[in-house]
Amino acid sequence: MAIEKVRSHLAKWHVEHKIQELEESSATVELAAQALGCEPERIAKSLSFLVNDGAVLIVAAGDAKIDNAKYKAMFGTKAKMLSKDDVETMIGHDIGGVCPFGVNEGVAIYLDESLRRFTTVFPACGSSNSAIEVTISELETYAPYKEWIDVCKGWNE
């Protein structure tokens, strides 16, 4: 199970016990915010895209939306989300539990600037009813990300 991959990944920092397994679904930003009792914008959603036949994961704030012009400037191609069937195969987690921890080899992970305004955020942990609260510094430590990018809109308007 993907949550076990995440648990194993986070064990490197001895924080696997901080994973919250919820009674209710946290598969969407709205459901996760409800289940965790936080603002939707503090949900760190992981968006899966196809770039040059490879998987790219962009972790962004719950209220952020991909800005197509910024995305194209960054990646040199139009934003094309992975199909439901490709997400689990290419990323290693199924839709609703996609996160930047314990992903398949070769997945390029980016953190979007929309997250920097928070002290803590809540990414999923590999299942549609899990999350972990992390500081931005912890997110940088636990997620094997390439760089911070600015490809979203709607959060700073």
Side-chain angles (χ1 to χ4, degrees), residues 48-50 54-56 80-84 86-87 90-91 95:
S48 312
F49 295 92
L50 185 65
V56 169
K80 182 181 185 317
M81 292 196 83
L82 291 179
S83 70
K84 181 182 180 350
D86 288 339
V87 171
M90 294 182 81
I91 303 294
I95 289 176

Side-chain angles (χ1 to χ4, degrees), residues 52-97:
N52 300 327
D53 298 325
V56 169
L57 204 59
I58 298 174
V59 185
D63 60 346
K65 293 175 177 38
I66 293 295
D67 180 308
N68 289 321
K70 288 180 178 181
Y71 182 97
K72 188 166 186 175
M74 174 71 200
F75 295 105
T77 187
K78 283 177 66 175
K80 182 181 185 317
M81 292 196 83
L82 291 179
S83 70
K84 181 182 180 350
D85 294 338
D86 288 339
V87 171
E88 187 171 17
T89 305
M90 294 182 81
I91 303 294
H93 304 312
D94 204 359
I95 289 176

Side-chain angles (χ1 to χ4, degrees), residues 22-28 31-32 35 128-130:
L22 308 161
E23 295 293 319
E24 53 273 289
S25 174
S26 58
T28 67
L31 290 172
S128 61
N129 67 327
S130 64

Side-chain angles (χ1 to χ4, degrees), residues 5-17:
K5 281 174 53 179
V6 172
R7 199 179 311 281
S8 175
H9 177 84
L10 293 175
K12 297 174 200 161
W13 297 276
H14 310 288
V15 295
E16 69 279 10
H17 65 279

Side-chain angles (χ1 to χ4, degrees), residues 37-51:
C38 72
E39 303 84 5
E41 53 268 24
R42 288 185 53 219
I43 301 302
K45 62 184 178 184
S46 297
L47 305 167
S48 312
F49 295 92
L50 185 65
V51 176

